[in-house]
């Protein structure tokens, strides 16, 4: 089997890392992979050992020319399946290119934001099958009229190995300029509105007063960076809240946090939550999208209503005040990741969909 994968993201964030896991697993199973990605994208180097990488111009939703570029690649490579892994125009234009060339097409849906029913009815006709990374996203698509037999949930996975290493707590405190006795709340998310950084900043002041050694470390980068930095300064929080940027070495540090906060408004599944659980860090997150699938309420973390600052503060306070509870939730989270979110299961789930769509076309 040969599969043409299309990933339009330029940065090696959670979704792109999942594509690299899939490519590696498929190659190990004898599948021939081709990856189309933007020129200069970070995934190219990670994918190179497992796929023929074809960098090309990908200009987003307005880049109609992507249809012809992908169609030409399909005609050259003659894959059995086209797998579209992202949006930014790759979903629509990639679907049209596959339809024009007569090749079965699979779309991965990683976000839970709703789409108008008319758009679902039009766009999703282009795909032979849709893979969602959580049951929450699958339910969104079903509510918008997609047929159940056309949608399969294959949850995202994690290579837990680097997250299992113990973190040097003293080195963690030195790295992020924290007191040696600091209690630490971390966030690991792109600096974009839907991740909920503003909720954490709203919930922090009374917690900082109650827990004098409390600090927050926010990992990630994005368009909100300047705004968040200004708000942190305006609130007088600069000595208690760190913007740590995007870290390639996050497995070395995340386990040094006492709690991971992720008060997002919407989320497909939340790779950072899987990473935190693997690192043994308890989580406070929203009951939104696929987040309740990443975090078992009361078992590996605490769930709160989206946007509820009082509930966020109460959940964080509960964990900050109870080290034994933090340890229990963290240990349970690590065990759950190892048992339920394996890369092998994700790869086999994707491969089963490829076999289904190629078998349907043959018949």
């Amino acid at each position: 089997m040969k599969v043409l994968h299309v990933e339009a993201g330029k940065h090696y964030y959670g979704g792109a890392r999942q594509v690299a896991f899939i490519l590696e697993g498929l190659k190990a199973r004898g599948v021939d992979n081709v990856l189309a990605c933007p020129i200069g994208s970070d995934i190219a180097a990670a994918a190179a050992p497992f796929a023929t990488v074809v960098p090309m111009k990908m200009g987003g939703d307005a880049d109609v020319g992507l249809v012809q570029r992908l169609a030409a690649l399909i005609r050259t490579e003659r894959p059995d399946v086209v797998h579209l892994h992202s949006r930014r125009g790759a979903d629509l234009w990639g679907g049209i290119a596959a339809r024009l060339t007569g090749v079965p097409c699979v779309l991965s849906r990683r976000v839970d934001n709703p789409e108008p029913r008319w758009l679902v009815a039009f766009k999703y006709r282009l795909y032979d099958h849709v893979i969602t990374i959580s049951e929450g996203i699958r339910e969104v698509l079903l509510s918008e009229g997609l047929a159940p037999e056309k949608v399969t949930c294959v949850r995202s996975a994690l290579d837990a190995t680097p997250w299992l290493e113990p973190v040097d707590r003293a080195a963690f405190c030195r790295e992020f300029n924290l007191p040696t006795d600091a209690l630490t709340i971390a966030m690991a998310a792109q600096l974009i509105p839907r991740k909920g950084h503003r909720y954490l900043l709203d919930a922090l002041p009374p917690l900082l007063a109650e827990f004098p050694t409390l600090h927050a470390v926010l990992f990630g980068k994005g368009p909100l960076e300047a705004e968040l930095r200004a708000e942190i300064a305006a609130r007088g929080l600069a000595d208690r809240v760190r913007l740590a940027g995007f870290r390639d070495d996050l497995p070395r540090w995340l386990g040094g946090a006492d709690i991971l906060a992720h008060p997002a408004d919407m989320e497909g599944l939340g790779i950072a939550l899987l990473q935190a659980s693997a690192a043994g860090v308890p989580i406070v997150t929203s009951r939104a999208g696929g987040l309740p699938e990443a975090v078992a309420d009361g078992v590996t973390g605490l769930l709160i209503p989206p946007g509820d600052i009082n509930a966020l503060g109460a959940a964080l306070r509960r964990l900050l005040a109870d080290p034994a509870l933090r340890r229990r939730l963290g240990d349970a989270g690590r065990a759950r990741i190892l048992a339920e979110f394996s890369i092998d299961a994700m790869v086999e789930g994707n491969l089963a969909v490829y076999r289904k769509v190629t078998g349907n076309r043959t018949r």
Side-chain angles (χ1 to χ4, degrees):
M1 181 183 290
K2 178 187 277 192
V3 182
L4 170 61
H5 305 264
V6 183
E7 168 56 54
K10 286 198 168 184
H11 303 294
Y12 199 43
Y13 293 149
R17 290 177 186 272
Q18 295 298 305
V19 176
F21 288 151
I22 292 169
L23 294 175
E24 182 176 4
L26 290 174
K27 181 176 182 181
R29 290 160 172 79
V31 174
D32 188 8
N33 298 299
V34 180
L35 173 68
C37 60
I39 297 168
S41 64
D42 296 336
I43 193 177
F50 316 113
T52 300
V53 178
V54 183
M56 64 171 60
K57 177 188 173 186
M58 292 187 181
D61 292 333
D63 185 10
V64 182
L66 185 57
V67 172
Q68 291 303 321
R69 293 192 291 277
L70 287 175
L73 181 60
I74 293 169
R75 292 187 181 104
T76 298
E77 294 291 342
R78 301 183 64 184
D80 300 288
V81 181
V82 173
H83 189 163
L84 309 172
H85 290 275
S86 60
R87 297 181 296 165
R88 301 182 183 89
D91 51 354
L92 177 59
W93 305 131
I96 293 173
R99 177 60 63 91
L100 289 174
T101 53
V103 177
C105 185
V106 173
L107 172 73
S108 279
R109 176 75 185 261
R110 299 186 172 276
V111 293
D112 64 340
N113 56 294
E115 295 176 298
R117 291 180 71 93
W118 67 264
L119 180 59
V120 171
F122 166 71
K123 186 171 77 171
Y124 286 81
R125 292 172 62 189
L126 298 170
Y127 315 123
D128 292 75
H129 208 84
V130 180
I131 296 173
T132 65
I133 64 167
S134 70
E135 287 291 347
I137 299 175
R138 184 174 186 272
E139 290 301 319
V140 169
L141 290 176
L142 297 183
S143 71
E144 293 169 350
L146 213 58
E149 62 272 14
K150 194 172 180 176
V151 192
T152 299
C153 171
V154 180
R155 284 179 175 156
S156 292
L158 182 72
D159 176 8
T161 305
W163 305 93
L164 302 178
E165 293 295 320
V167 172
D168 182 333
R169 177 72 181 189
F172 174 84
C173 292
R174 288 194 302 270
E175 181 73 14
F176 301 106
N177 194 27
L178 302 171
T180 55
D181 61 347
L183 270 173
T184 309
I185 298 171
M187 271 192 76
Q190 293 183 66
L191 306 184
I192 55 178
R194 67 182 176 87
K195 299 295 185 179
H197 295 84
R198 64 191 182 280
Y199 301 137
L200 180 60
L201 293 183
D202 285 341
L204 273 177
L207 296 174
L208 294 171
E210 185 175 347
F211 299 93
T213 63
L214 178 61
H215 290 71
V217 179
L218 311 184
F219 296 101
K221 64 181 180 180
L224 285 186
E225 181 173 350
E227 180 181 326
L228 287 172
R229 195 175 297 279
E231 185 170 352
I232 289 166
R235 290 171 179 250
L237 300 177
D239 62 335
R240 307 288 290 275
V241 180
R242 311 281 193 272
L243 288 177
F246 178 79
R247 300 293 299 241
D248 287 321
D249 58 349
L250 192 59
R252 182 180 175 187
W253 304 118
L254 188 58
D258 296 287
I259 302 168
L260 182 88
H262 194 81
D265 289 320
M266 57 176 60
E267 189 74 78
L269 185 65
I271 295 300
L273 280 66
L274 306 186
Q275 295 168 341
S277 285
V281 180
I283 298 165
V284 174
T285 191
S286 308
R287 196 174 282 105
L291 293 173
E293 297 170 56
V295 176
D297 190 25
V299 178
T300 68
L302 303 177
L303 296 179
I304 61 168
D308 190 330
I309 295 165
N310 290 333
L312 174 61
L316 291 171
R317 180 177 292 106
R318 181 181 171 191
L319 290 182
L320 289 168
D322 193 339
L325 178 60
R326 295 200 303 269
R327 283 193 298 272
R328 177 167 63 81
L329 298 183
D331 290 346
R334 173 171 285 180
R336 183 168 182 256
I337 292 300
L338 294 174
E340 299 183 23
F341 290 89
S342 73
I343 291 175
D344 278 345
M346 179 178 68
V347 173
E348 286 294 336
N350 281 270
L351 189 53
V353 171
Y354 301 159
R355 289 169 175 152
K356 178 177 180 179
V357 299
T358 55
N360 286 347
R361 284 292 185 95
T362 300
R363 288 193 295 272

